[in-house]
Amino acid sequence: MDRPLKNIWGIILAAGSGSRLGQAAGGVRKQYLEYRGAPLFWHSARTFSRVAGLRGLVFVFPPDDAQAMEKRVDQYFRSEDLGLARTVCAGGERRQDSVACGLRALPSGCDAVLVHDSARPFVSARTIALLIDALNQGERAVIPAIEVADTIKRVAGRVAGNEIGCGLESVVVDTPNRSGLRAVQTPQAFETGLLREAHALAGEHGWEVTDDASMVEQMAAHAPEAQIRVGIIPGEPGNIKITTPDDLKRLGETRTTIPCVG
Ligand code: CTP
Ligand code: MG
């Protein structure tokens, strides 16, 4: 594939239900929480628009909101032209289903795609630019990651009713060497064809993943002769994912918004 890549798109995932936030978000899906005057998903869109080399964005919303959100996204673009093409589609039940929906919504000729969680509103333009640079230097799959500060244990025995007894949540199995561990973030960048192929294989084999790179890793393990690798660029500690009620503190004063189209 010719480099530099000419047709790079972002997929902004906003089709989750925010179940781990519970009622802390006032019953509003976290992607719609308002932070500094705009919903979380729009913050990432703005940051993507500041990076050279990006052609457009696909916004993925929950199926029951997608139509209303399409109009809402049009309104945002009317008041704030990001200089990018865009399309809106409905997501699926699991995150990976929403990514598959986003991939189907890409225009033909899209060379590469950056898949991003709208729940990470603090992503920097620098991280996005580093990913695009790596793609342009020939990487086919590249993700941002940071070193882990905590020692991580592998554990076992977390069972309903706590059958391991003594009030324990679980027990330690072993301790992987921390220097070989990384915490990974989004956006995750891929040649479009490679990620589509990984999704096709995942469908065939029933692979369940929590990030896009894992799907490509499984594909690499499935077909070692293809010599597919997932590259890493340094992420930023500030690029957190809003996941639990505690994370809401990072947003400071938020106002909850429910999408309604005027
Ligand atoms: N996501 C999605 N479609 C899904 C599930 C998740 O587009 N079916 C998106 C979320 O909107 C979020 C990102 O993937 O931006 C990361 O997922 P996560 O933090 O797990 O968000 P939720 O699934 O919404 O939250 P929870 O797991 O607590 O329900
Ligand atoms: Mg989730």
Side-chain angles (χ1 to χ4, degrees):
M1 189 174 286
D2 286 348
R3 259 71 177 185
L5 300 170
K6 300 217 165 35
N7 202 348
I8 305 177
W9 280 61
I11 294 179
I12 307 281
L13 291 176
S17 54
S19 54
R20 281 171 290 179
L21 270 187
Q23 280 310 302
V28 172
R29 289 178 163 133
K30 63 187 175 187
Q31 56 271 41
Y32 303 138
L33 282 174
E34 196 172 287
Y35 170 63
R36 297 193 175 174
L40 285 200
F41 72 83
W42 190 248
H43 287 272
S44 300
R46 278 180 181 155
T47 308
F48 271 76
S49 77
R50 289 172 27 223
V51 180
L54 207 91
R55 181 72 66 86
L57 293 174
V58 175
F59 295 87
V60 189
F61 291 110
D64 49 348
D65 292 344
Q67 244 185 338
M69 290 310 296
E70 184 163 11
K71 293 185 186 148
R72 178 56 72 97
V73 166
D74 283 348
Q75 287 174 350
Y76 281 118
F77 270 88
R78 269 199 296 277
S79 62
E80 201 176 327
D81 182 10
L82 298 185
L84 293 173
R86 89 277 191 172
T87 176
V88 171
C89 69
E93 198 156 315
R94 301 165 300 172
R95 183 186 180 283
Q96 70 194 71
D97 302 323
S98 294
V99 176
C101 296
L103 285 173
R104 282 195 292 273
L106 288 170
S108 62
C110 167
D111 303 316
V113 61
L114 276 69
V115 183
H116 184 57
D117 295 334
S118 64
R120 295 184 188 269
F122 304 123
V123 61
S124 71
R126 179 175 176 274
T127 293
I128 299 169
L130 283 175
L131 292 165
I132 292 179
D133 279 354
L135 287 174
N136 280 329
Q137 279 165 36
E139 294 301 326
R140 306 184 66 201
V142 57
I143 63 175
I146 54 174
E147 293 185 358
V148 289
D150 297 322
T151 295
I152 309 284
K153 305 275 183 201
R154 202 188 317 271
V155 302
R158 183 178 182 166
V159 283
N162 224 350
E163 273 124 61
I164 54 174
C166 316
L168 298 178
E169 190 259 10
S170 50
V171 290
V172 172
V173 173
D174 61 15
T175 307
N177 186 341
R178 193 171 66 193
S179 64
L181 296 176
R182 295 290 181 275
V184 309
Q185 307 173 330
T186 72
Q188 299 192 347
F190 307 92
E191 281 184 2
T192 310
L194 185 76
L195 191 57
R196 283 202 169 120
E197 218 180 302
H199 272 265
L201 279 173
E204 260 171 54
H205 297 280
W207 298 338
E208 297 246 2
V209 298
T210 54
D211 80 335
D212 309 290
S214 323
M215 206 179 262
V216 172
E217 289 155 40
Q218 296 221 39
M219 179 167 82
H222 188 75
E225 68 286 353
Q227 298 197 330
I228 298 157
R229 68 179 188 187
V230 176
I232 296 218
I233 55 122
E236 291 179 1
N239 183 14
I240 60 156
K241 182 157 71 70
I242 306 296
T243 307
T244 64
D246 241 13
D247 299 327
L248 282 183
K249 293 180 196 140
R250 301 293 290 268
L251 300 179
E253 183 85 352
T254 54
R255 203 159 60 76
T256 55
T257 53
I258 296 174
C260 57
V261 176

